[in-house]
Amino acid sequence: MTDRLATDSAPIGNPAPRPLPQYESARVEYQARFDAAREQLKLLATKHVKLVWLRTVCFVVALASFILGYGGDTYRGPLQVVAWLAAIVFLYAIVRHEHLRLQTLMHKSDERLFLRLLARLDRKWAELPETKLLGEFSGLTFADDLDVAGGASLLTLLSLTGTAPGNQTLQSWIANPPSWHEVKQRQASVRLLKDQRDLRLSIIKTVIATSDASGASDRQYGLPAWARSEAWLPRHRFAHALSYIGPALVVGGLVALLVANSSGEQAAGNMAVNAAAITLGLGFLINILVTISWGSWLHDIFLQVTGEHRAVYHMGEVFQAFSQLPRDDGLLSAVRHAAVESPTSRSAGFLAYYGSCD
């Protein structure tokens, strides 16, 4: 069976079969979307480099201008203006950088997906992620004979699942023979979805985007897993304390600078400004120390929490997309009802959760 799957050659003496029209149509669309995703990634990479330099320059300028503008005696007014402008631009760059990061993740996911779809059309098995049988299905007697799982296999060809429940459902359909009624229902649903390529791709793209580069993890389940894991801060008491001290000194220094500038007495005002500048600088130094010493760990935790939260949000978008499924008085209608039309639908649950968060 592997040989039959791995080659598209025609029997000896017969001309090679011409590609089906829908294959060529799919190939053109997949290639166009793949090229578009790659082009967007190039543009985003250029913007990323510019933002890194902008953030670095603004941070240095803001820090130096705050210290000199509030702690020095010359050009105080212009330096203070420069300090606040640099700080505002720095904050703006941080927001833009996060937006850029999310766009990059989305286009990388699209690039992987359409490269995979093109490989499926051409039966390029080496470029397809290998799909293995789950433990509960590893005892299938016909799995080896029919090449159900592994390299050039049925599951590797068919599976585009991005979640553990989806993968389990697909494998259970292969492992457990359906009734004739179920077969007819599934065939009817497939016929209705055959011409709904945009809808299918929209759902698949969103699901795949919630998983990692291999498409095998379930990031939407990562947030509860993180919540059940061992707390990081109690094991790093010093970092925990500095995470409060650093921001407190920065805020206190800024407030002290504002108060000192409004003081009428020159000598006392200068002493207060110097003390405030030292406090502000110390706060920045502590924050830099925390970033250098524990920044990678804290960044990973931040990405995990925000990333999994966003993955859950995207799964809510998947359920909402099911509202566009055609009605068939069968499987598709049942999915629509469970996803968006029932009072206790999945979509209603997500909206209620995010509404309460807002």
Side-chain angles (χ1 to χ4, degrees):
M1 173 129 180
T2 302
D3 292 338
R4 292 199 299 272
L5 284 172
T7 64
D8 290 326
S9 59
I12 296 176
N14 293 331
R18 299 181 64 181
L20 296 176
Q22 60 266 32
Y23 276 26
E24 286 306 305
S25 171
R27 187 188 309 280
V28 170
E29 181 170 356
Y30 296 162
Q31 187 65 53
R33 295 201 182 194
F34 172 78
D35 293 339
R38 178 155 291 186
E39 186 63 28
Q40 285 298 315
L41 286 173
K42 291 179 181 178
L43 295 175
L44 291 171
T46 302
K47 293 180 179 179
H48 169 78
V49 174
K50 292 180 180 179
L51 278 176
V52 168
W53 279 106
L54 179 63
R55 287 177 57 174
T56 303
V57 171
C58 287
F59 178 80
V60 174
V61 170
L63 178 60
S65 299
F66 271 122
I67 294 175
L68 296 175
Y70 288 97
D73 296 326
T74 58
Y75 302 108
R76 296 184 62 187
L79 285 173
Q80 290 172 11
V81 173
V82 171
W84 285 108
L85 287 177
I88 292 172
V89 175
F90 176 74
L91 294 175
Y92 170 78
I94 290 178
V95 174
R96 287 293 304 164
H97 215 158
E98 176 63 12
H99 181 67
L100 195 69
R101 184 184 71 85
L102 296 176
Q103 283 187 309
T104 301
L105 290 176
M106 180 186 69
H107 289 298
K108 281 185 177 179
S109 176
D110 287 352
E111 181 187 43
R112 291 193 302 269
L113 172 61
F114 290 109
L115 184 63
R116 181 176 177 180
L117 293 176
L118 287 168
R120 289 171 83 229
L121 288 178
D122 296 329
R123 303 298 190 264
K124 294 181 178 179
W125 302 105
E127 299 178 12
L128 292 172
E130 181 178 335
T131 304
K132 299 181 179 179
L133 282 174
L134 298 174
E136 58 197 280
F137 304 116
S138 59
L140 290 179
T141 56
F142 56 84
D144 290 335
D145 293 336
L146 299 181
D147 285 338
V148 172
S153 67
L154 181 64
L155 277 174
T156 298
L157 177 65
L158 297 180
S159 179
L160 285 172
T161 58
T163 66
N167 190 29
Q168 184 182 39
T169 298
L170 178 61
Q171 294 196 22
S172 69
W173 284 6
I174 294 175
N176 303 311
S179 66
W180 179 238
H181 176 68
E182 290 175 323
V183 170
K184 290 192 294 183
Q185 275 195 325
R186 293 175 186 175
Q187 289 178 341
S189 298
V190 168
R191 282 193 293 270
L192 283 176
L193 289 174
K194 180 180 177 181
D195 297 325
Q196 301 283 336
R197 182 183 296 162
D198 288 340
L199 175 60
R200 299 197 315 268
L201 286 176
S202 173
I203 295 173
I204 292 171
K205 282 174 54 177
T206 308
V207 174
I208 294 296
T210 65
S211 60
D212 64 5
S214 67
S217 69
D218 284 283
R219 293 181 57 206
Q220 61 272 21
Y221 303 107
L223 190 58
W226 169 80
R228 292 192 298 267
S229 64
E230 184 181 2
W232 187 88
L233 285 177
R235 294 186 288 110
H236 299 80
R237 298 289 186 183
F238 187 55
H240 192 185
L242 291 181
S243 68
Y244 285 100
I245 295 174
L249 289 176
V250 171
V251 174
L254 290 175
V255 173
L257 284 174
L258 295 175
V259 173
N261 279 328
S262 63
S263 175
E265 298 182 8
Q266 185 66 29
N270 288 339
M271 292 179 59
V273 167
N274 291 335
I278 293 174
T279 302
L280 181 63
L282 184 60
F284 276 116
L285 288 177
I286 290 177
N287 287 333
I288 293 173
L289 174 64
V290 171
T291 301
I292 294 174
S293 303
W294 299 283
S296 60
W297 294 343
L298 296 174
H299 186 65
D300 289 343
I301 293 173
F302 175 79
L303 287 182
Q304 184 177 6
V305 174
T306 58
E308 319 309 357
H309 185 274
R310 186 170 294 276
V312 175
Y313 178 80
H314 282 312
M315 287 306 296
E317 294 179 340
V318 172
F319 288 124
Q320 190 62 37
F322 289 156
S323 64
Q324 303 176 41
L325 289 173
R327 298 186 183 276
D328 63 349
D329 297 326
L331 291 178
L332 298 182
S333 292
V335 171
R336 282 178 61 112
H337 181 75
V340 294
E341 295 178 347
S342 169
T344 57
S345 67
R346 290 11 173 213
S347 182
F350 274 97
L351 290 175
Y353 170 73
Y354 280 99
S356 63
C357 290
D358 294 339

